[in-house]
Amino acid sequence: MSRVADGVNRPAPITIEIDGAAIPAHPGETLAAAMIAAGVYRMRDDRSGAPRGMLCNMGTCSECFVWIADGQTWRRRRACLTPVAGGLRAATHEERP
């Protein structure tokens, strides 16, 4: 999926890391929006190991939980409510990088 480009002015892109891969994002976007724009649809796995993705995009369903690095600590956060920032590191699985 691509971002809307016509008639949209965005700040310069920043780089964030998802599962060890660098992806571009724009300040003001949520992590979920940046992931989807980069073609990353898997946010987490359910108990059976099946991939799960974003559903409601408003923080209600909890389908978009990812692991976010906060220094050396990893915490689960909703990707649809997490604004991107330069240097953000996230993982879609509990076995974090």
Side-chain angles (χ1 to χ4, degrees):
M1 185 172 278
S2 62
R3 292 177 175 90
V4 174
D6 293 338
V8 177
N9 293 320
R10 290 187 176 85
I14 59 175
T15 301
I16 62 174
E17 184 181 302
I18 307 296
D19 293 331
I23 66 168
H26 293 278
E29 288 183 326
T30 64
L31 177 54
M35 290 173 73
I36 289 170
V40 180
Y41 300 103
R42 177 183 174 267
M43 307 274 172
R44 66 178 185 90
D45 292 339
D46 66 15
R47 289 184 179 151
S48 72
R52 305 297 293 181
M54 190 173 62
L55 181 65
C56 76
N57 198 29
M58 62 183 187
T60 308
C61 72
S62 302
E63 291 295 321
C64 66
F65 268 122
V66 294
W67 292 91
I68 306 279
D70 181 10
Q72 294 300 317
T73 305
W74 288 83
R75 302 190 192 298
R76 283 177 34 131
R77 298 282 184 249
R78 290 178 179 99
C80 72
L81 297 178
T82 303
V84 296
L88 181 139
R89 292 185 309 142
T92 60
H93 46 83
E94 193 167 354
E95 296 81 27
R96 300 168 293 281

